[in-house]
Amino acid sequence: LDGYEKARGEARYTGDVKLPGMLESALLRSPHARARVARIDLDAATAAPGVIAVVGPGEIAGIDEEVHFEGGAVAGVAAETLALARAALELIEVEWEELEPLLDADEAVARASLLAESRRYERGDYEQGLARADAVVEAEYTTQTLNHNPLETHQCICEWRGDNLDVYISTQYIWGVRRDLAEQLGIPQDKVRVICEFMGGGFGAKNGLGNYLALAAELAKRTGRRVRCALSRREENVVGGNRNATRQRVTAAGQSDGTLTALGGEYVCALGWEGWLPPTAGPAWLLYACENVRTVEHGAKLNLPPMAAFRAPGFVEGTWSLECLLDKLAAQLGVDPLELRKRNYAETDPIDGRPFSSKGLMECYRRAEPHWQRRHEVRARSDETWKRGMGLASQIWYGGGGPPSYAWVRLGSDGRANIVTAMQDIGTGTRTAMAIVAAEELGLPLDAVEVQIGDSARGPFASISGGSSTLPSMGPAVRSAAADAARQVLELAAQRFDRPEETLSLREGSIHCSDGSSWPLADITGLLADGQILGKGARGPNPTGLRVLTFGIQLAEVAVDVGTGEVRVEKVVAIHDVGRVINPLGARSQIEGGIIQALGHTFSEHRLDDPRTGTVLTKTLDAYKLPTIADVPEIVCDLVDVPDEHLTNLGSKGLGEPPIVPTAAAIANAIRDATGADVTSLPITREEILRALREAEQRERERERIAAGAA
Ligand code: MOS
């Protein structure tokens, strides 16, 4: 619905909002990973041209004398223009007392510098599982620190109207900002209005508050002016949040028929100074029906910028190690990789035996077969230089959504419907999906439905756009609101046309009776004049006692230049089960976006930190390499599209995160299929390919020597 608006540049993002008299603000950030402000002089900045207000350490939340990572803020300025604000920052004199930063995750774990208690999990008898195995494989996998790089950086504008605060902000959670900012400021939530009409991406980095928001709110209060604070790209790529790096020492054991007997892992997550411990072991717990599992996850607290949720946090990293290791095990056992995954299919939740609300993973595997059968043909197209192969990897993730979420529907005398809910659109096409749901329920064409979102003062509570939960949380609320309005229409029609209400239904802009008669909807809505039919709906709870997950498999086809280590991904096939698909075009777009973002962490994206100082070296987009359209392979999307009958009234799960989960492992497995090389670290650079190729050659020579000796 809003595609043209976005394409024409008409959609108003937070970055487009310009309010009269608006000041620009900026934060003075520490160049050191760990330091204390010994002395700070704000006078010159305060007296600088165009400067209206200055705050120093301790004056607002998140601006302190002691900084624990590069980019930690110690002062802030509001000025007539951004250039004047930044010039004033230059005038602030700081005497830093530099302190020794803690930068190594293993050292942090050893010294018990942890952000959370280490998470230990065990089921079955792990040692016995190892003992019963015909093959045991072990490996260490690493993943890099990644930046989210939303096109729109973190930003907001604050405007006080008396003791009411209006906040324009690029956020994934309008109601979370409203709640948490009100608490931070000590004012009632209803005094805070949060507006986000369009959003230039978040990927998990825009779930909460930030000190840029605290600064804008405070400076707006002090100056009586509207104040904007927008992070630059450089700031975004230091303090905007990141996917934490990991080191994963993992073990898999299996019997000759492919049955997994043990999965184990020790996961070290380099989280930075703040954040939380993501579920890196989640795939090992949940993906397969392995009886014996033992994992431990550590969250190292370091003098590095805080991590933030990033599109399937934990599962992206944990699936990389698990699915690469399983192919290594399959090779040792001489079992086909797809067969191995089917052999260990979990019919119920492997953690507690709960049934799944629905699980179409076997159907995904079935649909993968014809693609997988092409692998011999693909390999046969190898030549001296370019080796070709195929790999696959499974995916699980959450994405069931849940309450609370509310929606209102307004139907006017012109027969058009308005959906109202104070939801944000992270960029996944929320307006279109909600309109499709409402249009179907009301029997209206899509262009007779408007969707109003993006303003906490103009609609009821709506959930977060995170955890792949927008559609599964909001969709049911919209559907039930539309059903409420539809019921009222039919009630009127029953009286007007003298038919029992239960014989009437809405379809294609008309009211239909089971006796064959029908009337245009306008025959009823036309009676309303200035009246309105108002429907309201709420999201019901998910079923208790059932596990709700999303599932899928991806297959990658690659060509590897064994001389240079260059990899070309020729094709990715993505087969996912997320219950009912509402908007096939939007769903396809999510799959393509997830795979392209995964190509970034598979090959090129890497936040590099100076290992001595802990400062970020890759602050700009020429140093931090995002994939571009030139990197995009052929992408084949296939969605199972069977409604989950237990998921309230819609049967849909989310699709924002699932497609990014298995791509890197599928590609690594294809590289192994093509060349025998076991890549173990992300990103897969040419150096990493060449290292793995040398290692594979050595292994081969060793095998030959042993074989020759035995002969
Ligand atoms: Mo997300 S990473 O749940 O926004």
Side-chain angles (χ1 to χ4, degrees), residues 476-501:
V478 168
R479 189 173 193 192
S480 91
D484 184 23
R487 191 192 45 73
Q488 296 177 53
V489 170
L490 296 181
E491 198 176 285
L492 289 175
Q495 291 168 24
R496 177 81 178 167
F497 306 125
D498 197 21
R499 298 289 200 290
E501 196 183 318

Side-chain angles (χ1 to χ4, degrees), residues 289-541:
C290 178
E291 283 172 18
N292 310 302
V293 178
R294 178 193 285 172
T295 61
V296 56
E297 298 157 277
H298 304 290
K301 181 175 183 173
L302 301 164
N303 293 110
L304 290 172
M307 60 77 79
F310 189 163
R311 208 168 187 173
F315 275 54
V316 163
E317 303 88 286
T319 300
W320 154 249
S321 65
L322 176 63
E323 289 293 276
C324 286
L325 189 68
L326 276 205
D327 266 36
K328 217 170 142 93
L329 181 67
Q332 286 244 343
L333 293 170
V335 176
D336 173 84
L338 183 55
E339 194 47 46
L340 183 88
R341 285 161 176 88
K342 286 183 182 169
R343 160 79 49 185
N344 296 286
Y345 196 78
E347 295 290 349
T348 57
D349 183 339
I351 294 177
D352 57 14
R354 256 185 298 174
F356 292 107
S357 61
S358 68
K359 181 172 183 176
L361 184 57
M362 197 54 97
E363 174 61 16
C364 295
Y365 289 162
R366 200 188 61 72
R367 294 184 187 199
E369 290 280 2
H371 301 285
W372 188 232
Q373 276 161 17
R374 287 187 48 248
R375 70 191 181 283
H376 307 294
E377 180 194 314
V378 168
R379 283 164 83 161
R381 284 194 283 113
S382 299
D383 57 34
E384 270 309 294
T385 311
W386 288 96
K387 304 295 177 196
R388 292 166 192 279
M390 276 183 75
L392 55 78
S394 300
Q395 169 264 316
I396 46 162
W397 172 250
Y398 308 99
S405 273
Y406 306 92
W408 300 331
V409 172
R410 210 163 62 201
L411 193 63
S413 60
D414 58 359
R416 295 178 60 84
N418 245 281
I419 314 303
V420 184
T421 177
M423 180 72 191
Q424 58 288 317
D425 178 7
I426 188 175
T428 50
T430 301
R431 287 176 182 83
T432 304
M434 295 310 133
I436 289 172
V437 169
E440 182 183 281
E441 196 64 32
L442 290 162
L444 287 174
L446 199 57
D447 62 10
V449 180
E450 301 286 331
V451 180
Q452 321 269 327
I453 62 171
D455 186 341
S456 69
R458 293 190 185 156
F461 177 93
S463 59
I464 190 169
S465 290
S468 301
S469 67
T470 304
L471 177 64
S473 293
M474 280 313 305
V478 168
R479 189 173 193 192
S480 91
D484 184 23
R487 191 192 45 73
Q488 296 177 53
V489 170
L490 296 181
E491 198 176 285
L492 289 175
Q495 291 168 24
R496 177 81 178 167
F497 306 125
D498 197 21
R499 298 289 200 290
E501 196 183 318
E502 60 276 14
T503 65
L504 300 176
S505 61
L506 292 174
R507 242 176 21 248
E508 288 157 10
S510 297
I511 299 157
H512 293 263
C513 181
S514 55
D515 68 11
S517 41
S518 73
W519 309 267
L521 179 64
D523 285 5
I524 295 301
T525 54
L527 303 172
L528 291 169
D530 281 342
Q532 297 179 333
I533 287 174
L534 300 175
K536 63 183 194 339
R539 175 36 158 111

Side-chain angles (χ1 to χ4, degrees), residues 3 15 34 69 72 135 144 156 175 238 319-320 342 395 437 587 610 677 710:
R34 189 174 167 217
F69 51 89
Q144 75 279 46
C156 68
W175 291 84
V238 180
T319 300
W320 154 249
K342 286 183 182 169
Q395 169 264 316
V437 169
D610 184 320

